Amino acid sequence: MIANQIANPYLPAPAQVLAIQPQTGVDYTFRLATDIEPAWGQFVEISLPGVGEAPISVSDAGPGYIELTIRRVGKVTTALHQLKPGDTVYLRGPYGSGFPRDEFAGHQLVVAAGGTGVAPVKGLINYYAGHPGELAGLNLLLGFKTPADILFRTDIERWQGLFPTILTVDQGQAGWLGKVGLVTEFVKEIPLKNDARIIVVGPPLMIKFTVAEFIKCQIKPEQIWVSLERRMHCGLGKCGHCKINDVYVCLEGPVFNYSRARDLVD
């Protein structure tokens, strides 16, 4: 935790941009120098003075750095995409709940992620790539809109050599020889153990229908975790932008067990 947040939780700390890796035409991964030690699934607030602030999930981390994969969709993210290595951004956090690794230990883990939803689980997958003995198997089901939208290509190629991995796109393009179809269409191809643990991350409709497919396969809601990165704003449960009923997603989420998330309806 950044020390100066003890005095003022809104006060960010400077972080130098160490590297920028384009993933697609609109998605860049920023490596930032910081002592933040997030849990997988948590997010931080990144800001530029005079521009604004945005909540972004941590896509990876290591000693002295974190990585954020940021899509250019608005004023703040457009300004971030204009930065160069050596520039300075400002961070506060990490915030929210992460994925419960204790719940996964000794079980088969299935990660189903779509689009930018792969970012919050990238670090977790990389962790298990280095600690395969903690699980009874890891299966990946990754989906993107088109081949041009695929993130983390180098990581995915490495994962395909380590774990059973299904990579699919909604719409194929010339030269694409892989699978075409929605993530939901491939759930039934995964050999599931009765006590498997499931992570589903992606757009809301993708989460809804992918979870439904796993439940059809006799997976219980208690065995499923989802990440609801819904309109998070301040990260402190003050502004109410992310509130669903009496739940502040930025405080109690974004990672929820589905036995609770299924009741969080707008």
Side-chain angles (χ1 to χ4, degrees):
M1 181 67 72
I2 300 169
N4 58 20
Q5 286 184 326
I6 295 174
N8 182 348
Y10 288 101
L11 187 63
Q16 187 181 50
V17 178
L18 298 176
I20 302 173
Q21 174 67 50
Q23 299 287 341
T24 71
V26 294
D27 300 285
Y28 290 3
T29 295
F30 295 77
R31 177 170 288 197
L32 307 173
T34 178
D35 59 359
I36 289 175
E37 296 181 358
W40 308 126
Q42 286 189 301
F43 69 98
V44 298
E45 298 281 353
I46 182 171
S47 61
L48 289 171
V51 180
E53 184 178 62
I56 303 292
S57 293
V58 177
S59 57
D60 215 336
Y65 75 89
I66 63 170
E67 290 184 352
L68 307 178
T69 300
I70 301 173
R71 172 161 289 182
R72 187 173 65 246
V73 293
K75 179 181 176 182
V76 176
T77 53
T78 296
L80 289 169
H81 274 225
Q82 295 173 352
L83 297 177
K84 300 290 188 294
D87 287 341
T88 299
V89 298
Y90 290 82
L91 297 175
R92 58 185 178 90
Y95 296 118
S97 61
F99 294 105
R101 278 175 34 211
D102 289 347
E103 294 281 355
F104 306 151
H107 295 275
Q108 177 194 21
L109 178 64
V110 178
V111 178
T116 56
V118 180
V121 294
K122 172 177 174 283
L124 183 76
I125 296 169
N126 280 335
Y127 173 81
Y128 285 123
H131 303 79
E134 292 189 16
L135 300 174
L138 175 60
N139 295 73
L140 305 180
L141 173 52
L142 310 175
F144 297 90
K145 187 173 181 180
T146 72
D149 297 307
I150 295 175
L151 304 174
F152 314 125
R153 290 176 181 271
T154 301
D155 291 275
I156 290 174
E157 289 176 4
R158 183 165 56 90
W159 299 340
Q160 288 173 321
L162 296 172
F163 314 113
T165 299
I166 297 174
L167 174 63
T168 182
V169 296
D170 298 351
Q171 304 166 23
Q173 293 175 331
W176 174 254
L177 301 177
K179 295 182 181 295
V180 176
L182 301 177
V183 164
T184 51
E185 299 172 32
F186 297 96
V187 169
K188 58 182 177 294
E189 294 188 8
I190 301 172
L192 293 169
K193 298 180 180 178
N194 291 336
D195 63 347
R197 277 25 182 178
I198 313 294
I199 292 173
V200 182
V201 188
L205 285 178
M206 176 265 179
I207 291 177
K208 176 181 178 180
F209 290 107
T210 303
V211 166
E213 290 299 315
F214 280 110
I215 289 177
K216 287 180 185 176
C217 296
Q218 308 305 313
I219 297 296
K220 299 175 183 176
E222 293 79 8
Q223 296 170 241
I224 301 172
W225 283 263
V226 299
S227 182
L228 304 180
E229 298 177 350
R230 176 189 180 278
R231 296 206 300 267
M232 294 184 299
H233 194 68
C234 72
L236 298 169
K238 302 295 184 184
C239 71
H241 279 74
C242 66
K243 193 175 181 182
I244 304 176
N245 300 326
D246 60 347
V247 174
Y248 288 89
V249 174
C250 70
L251 294 180
E252 300 183 51
V255 176
F256 290 93
N257 184 272
Y258 189 68
S259 63
R260 187 174 191 208
R262 63 184 174 183
D263 296 324
L264 299 179
V265 179
D266 286 321

